[in-house]
Amino acid sequence: MRVLLSWMREFVPGGFGELEEQPEAMAETLTNLGLVVEGVEEIGNSWDGIVVAKVLELRPHPEADKIQLVDVDTGGAASPAGEPLQICCGAFNMAVGDLVPLATLGAVMPDGLEIARRKLRGEWSNGMLCSAIELGEGEDADGIMVLAGSPEVGQPLADALGIESDVLFDIDVEGNRPDALSVVGIARDLAAKLGLPFVLAPIEVPSSAPDANTLASVEIVDQVLCQRFGARVVSNIQMGQSPTWMQRRLIASGQRPINAVVDISNYVMLELGQPNHTYDLSLVPDGALRVRMAKDGETLTTLDDLERKLASADGVVCNGADTPIGLAGVMGGAATEIDDSTTSVLVEAAVWDRLTIAKSSRRLGLRSEASTRFERGVDPYGIERALDRFCQLAIELCGATVSAGRVLADGGVKPAPKVDVRLAAVNRLLNTELSLDQVVGYLEPIGFETLSRTSTDLVVQVPSWRPDSSIEADIIEEVGRHHGYEKSGRRVPAPSQTGQLSPTQRARRRVRRAYMAAGFSEALPLPFLAPGDLAAAGLDEHGISLANPLVAEESVLRTSLLPGLLKALAYNQSHRVARAKLFELGHVYLPSDAELPVEEEWIGAAAAGVDAAAAVQLLYQVGEALNLVGLKIVNKAIPGLHPTRAAEVQFRGRPLGQVGEVDPGVLDAYSIEGRVGWVQLMLAPMVQALQSPPKMKAVSKYPSSDLDLAFIVANKVPATDVVNTLMKAGAGLVRSVELFDVFRNDAIGSSSRSLAYRLRLQAIDRTLTDDEVTSARLGLVAAVEKAHSATLR
């Protein structure tokens, strides 16, 4: 919102005092109120050296077709009175006798250009004739500004146009301050902060017959769409341009002057925050307006000359024939547009449903000053003042007459809320020690009326122009703004409970500690892969491709942690770290039929120079540290792993991950030497397991005995099945089983292999005797031979 100091001053009798001479201090005051000032610009004092000149003669330039020589009279301001001053000019819209702005030698233009005497194609130019855009007065750059009226030749341009210095504040209005999208709203807030009177003078509109209700009518078909709708009839308009003072204010506020009627409409919207729209009454049959929701497929050509296809979620204003002539709250229709031939106007102001306007505006890509205000909320009882202000200006500037009365229709306005405000809550939230009188003193100047009070509480009536305020905290915020947050003491709120890690966060930390305790270092590869990385890792190459990758070489989301860790191992080996042991805790992204991929959190570990047996030992070590009791390994072909040295890890009867060696072909693709052990586990089941407190296991104080047993078994018998048989057969005595050797030779045969295990026997309540160890050994051997057709070596 761009607002002029002079405009705000009209609502504060006596002005803002000494603060007017300190624009930066005023900007800081506004910012402290929550009306953040993003820029301050002093205007009207940048025209020194620019005077009114009269065109005496127009001559063609002898050496240039696109430049003409203009002789002007400066009235003695830049040359002796009556003597012509030659100017080279590229515009051709002037005539002899026209009065035009002349920037004399030494003048500095608003854009910083300093005027100097220059020779153009052999002819001297002793100044510059100015267009509107060069003067900072709008966007017209097509020709020189021709001055209206009869200003005195040689008179400073600012004096001739009645322009005084002013200050323009560029304010960033937050979404919770709809009232601040108006000059009145900002002036009210600033005056209250400074303790100055704020006055909205009554508007008197001379009116005449016939009554407006005989010339126009309004019907609200959809009362959710429109809460209130009002209109007035203005006739005998003398169409023309709006006066310079209004155009300057509109331009400063970011609006483009069009004609007097449209400019008045925009002026009222900026001043009061109530958008309004004007219809050429002659183009509205019988002056009848209907407000309803659009029908799917209806079309409307808006004021920007674009035909728009409407939907049932859009609101429309229709004529008596039920034909849409305006897009409710967003933009009017071209069929009833005001032009130079307009003499009678139907001006309307309404209160539209905020959500409907927001949806229409976004769906159609049509944002306007009106839609912005309606989306945030307008004063439902501000319609009458906006209509009257329009009529007042139309009478003053266009010589119009106004029909008596207003055409009003109510769709049902919700009353502004009454809010209970506790003094204790005010002081607790603001960390202050305010009295009830002070609270009232802050609220009443901005329109929050006190309905009743006790020694500790207030009942406050929220003003109709503040739809953003509805609860006690909103009222306390207003008190805080006007008291000054900088005056509130600093205090750290006492939390209702101490902070703590979530179960998943605690699990992540324990998992990391378990892998680091096993001698692994954490790696952080990116989740983005090159298109061929999945295939190189032996995985399904159909991953999820990114629509907008940062680089083309990283355009696929990973489906496994394997490719990233293999790249890290390869990098380490290329830097002479041959036996790196790395783990990663991260997400993988699995394709699905749903709109989004399946995202899972996994932990993967890769160790160079490690075989499948060592990977299994890592799995058991981590499982013991994380209370994963009952891990089971089932031999299975796993993509990317060795065809005979891979297994699925199961926990509580469900898949948990995989363990084994990386396929040699994959290692070749990544230029990795030696073997690589691999373990990858899902985090979610581990988190669940860590929720349960670990069960105590008694620790034996008696010595243990170790046995080494080697069995010849068929290749098809998984080594883990033998482990499970030994653990089951030695229940109560066998504490651990470790596979420490796998052996093959011709004597054993190609269909079998030798598996050597180291077993630890230990009783919880006694020292095992030699006879007990021997008996246990025989039972273990018998169990394996029977279960797996094995032979003891």
Side-chain angles (χ1 to χ4, degrees), residues 427-599:
N427 287 322
R428 175 174 55 83
L429 288 178
L430 298 180
N431 196 26
T432 55
E433 296 180 358
L434 298 175
S435 68
L436 214 56
D437 287 338
Q438 286 176 295
V439 172
V440 173
Y442 288 134
L443 292 174
E444 291 195 339
I446 55 174
F448 289 80
E449 180 185 355
T450 301
L451 298 178
S452 63
R453 59 185 289 181
T454 65
S455 60
T456 58
D457 301 317
L458 295 172
V459 177
V460 174
Q461 175 66 65
V462 175
S464 59
W465 59 82
R466 291 299 303 272
D468 58 294
S469 297
S470 59
I471 60 175
E472 183 182 44
D474 295 332
I475 311 303
I476 294 174
E477 181 182 358
E478 297 304 305
V479 175
R481 289 194 310 111
H482 284 272
H483 174 68
Y485 288 118
E486 69 278 4
K487 298 178 184 177
S488 296
R490 295 184 179 182
R491 180 186 65 193
V492 178
S496 58
Q497 63 180 22
T498 57
Q500 61 181 356
L501 297 176
S502 69
T504 302
Q505 290 172 323
R506 287 196 297 269
R508 288 194 189 104
R509 293 193 179 191
R510 285 192 60 179
V511 168
R512 284 190 172 99
R513 286 197 296 267
Y515 277 88
M516 288 188 286
F520 282 72
S521 300
E522 186 169 9
L524 295 172
L526 291 174
F528 311 116
L529 303 175
D533 285 349
L534 289 173
L539 305 171
D540 186 348
E541 62 181 349
H542 298 98
I544 299 170
S545 297
L546 299 174
N548 55 343
L550 297 176
V551 291
E553 292 77 15
E554 296 176 348
S555 60
V556 179
L557 287 173
R558 65 187 178 189
T559 58
S560 169
L561 302 179
L562 182 61
L565 286 174
L566 289 179
K567 285 184 177 181
L569 289 182
Y571 181 84
N572 276 272
Q573 286 196 352
S574 70
H575 288 70
R576 305 181 67 180
V577 182
R579 300 175 70 86
K581 299 168 71 177
L582 304 173
F583 79 92
E584 179 193 2
L585 181 59
H587 290 82
V588 298
Y589 307 88
L590 308 176
S592 73
D593 295 331
E595 182 178 358
L596 296 175
V598 176
E599 184 175 349

Side-chain angles (χ1 to χ4, degrees), residues 57 76 96 124 139 154 158 176 313 360 392 417 436 542 558 561 568 588 603 611 644 652 738 745 790:
E57 185 179 358
V96 173
W124 284 103
E139 301 178 356
N176 67 334
S360 292
Q392 182 188 50
L436 214 56
H542 298 98
R558 65 187 178 189
L561 302 179
V588 298
I603 183 162
D611 61 10
T644 62
R652 296 176 179 174
E738 177 187 354
N745 66 8

Side-chain angles (χ1 to χ4, degrees), residues 300-315:
L300 169 68
T301 301
T302 47
L303 288 172
D304 54 5
D305 290 326
L306 293 178
E307 183 177 270
R308 302 183 183 275
K309 187 175 182 180
L310 306 180
S312 58
D314 301 321

